[in-house]
Amino acid sequence: MIGKMTTIAATLVAAVAVLPSASFAAGEGAGGDPVRGAQVFKYCMTCHRIGPNAKNLIGPVLTGVIGRQSGTAPGFAYSDLNKHAGENGLVWSEDMIFQYLPNPNAFLKKFLTDKGKADLATGSTKMTYSLTNEQQRKDVIAYIKTFSPDKDKK
């Protein structure tokens, strides 16, 4: 199944335009469509669930992820890299998720290094999928946001 998802992910990445973006802030997040995001989230469902009855799978439940400290979803066994990021201040905001999705490992390692914790920036996260298309990231974040207690939190 992972091989099949890797093939699907590679096909998706090859099919979309890669638009670099440094941040979701300063109005860049405008334009996310939760309906389109629900369609994008179908790729995420290989590993994640969202909603009131969601259960952890290969990845943690994403209900309420906006505003949650990294590495703290109840009952999920996180990688050390993800736990260390949370222990050093990573709280998932729309901007942080936007920056994370194109390259989860690089994002977490940079976060820790920027915090002066390069010694903890080792290993890898369990997330192997990446979402490089800027509009798809905005859309999936808009969808995830509909499952957050504070839907206006940035």
Side-chain angles (χ1 to χ4, degrees):
M1 176 173 244
I2 291 175
K4 183 177 180 182
M5 188 58 199
T6 302
T7 302
I8 292 169
T11 302
L12 177 64
V13 169
V16 297
V18 178
L19 301 173
S21 178
S23 166
F24 197 79
E28 291 180 34
D33 180 341
V35 174
R36 286 192 315 242
Q39 294 301 311
V40 175
F41 192 80
K42 288 180 180 181
Y43 291 102
C44 308
M45 289 185 67
T46 298
C47 300
H48 295 281
R49 291 294 186 267
I50 197 164
N53 298 314
K55 304 264 188 266
N56 292 323
L57 298 174
I58 296 168
V61 167
L62 295 180
T63 308
V65 70
I66 296 173
R68 180 192 304 155
Q69 179 182 330
S70 177
T72 63
F76 186 75
Y78 283 93
S79 67
D80 286 341
L81 182 60
N82 208 308
K83 287 189 283 191
H84 291 316
E87 291 163 356
N88 285 281
L90 179 57
V91 174
W92 293 116
S93 64
E94 292 174 52
D95 180 51
M96 293 292 106
I97 295 169
F98 187 81
Q99 293 179 54
Y100 174 83
L101 288 174
N103 189 333
N105 286 309
F107 171 81
L108 293 175
K109 289 177 181 183
K110 181 180 182 321
F111 180 87
L112 286 165
T113 300
D114 289 351
K115 292 288 185 177
K117 300 292 184 173
D119 59 316
L120 298 176
T122 61
S124 63
T125 181
K126 294 178 180 181
M127 186 157 158
T128 58
Y129 182 76
S130 61
L131 185 59
T132 57
N133 180 280
E134 185 175 325
Q135 187 60 52
Q136 288 180 332
R137 282 185 281 155
K138 290 177 183 180
D139 293 343
V140 81
I141 291 165
Y143 175 70
I144 290 169
K145 187 176 172 183
T146 67
F147 294 93
S148 295
D150 182 357
K151 294 177 181 64
D152 296 323
K153 190 175 255 185
K154 297 266 183 196

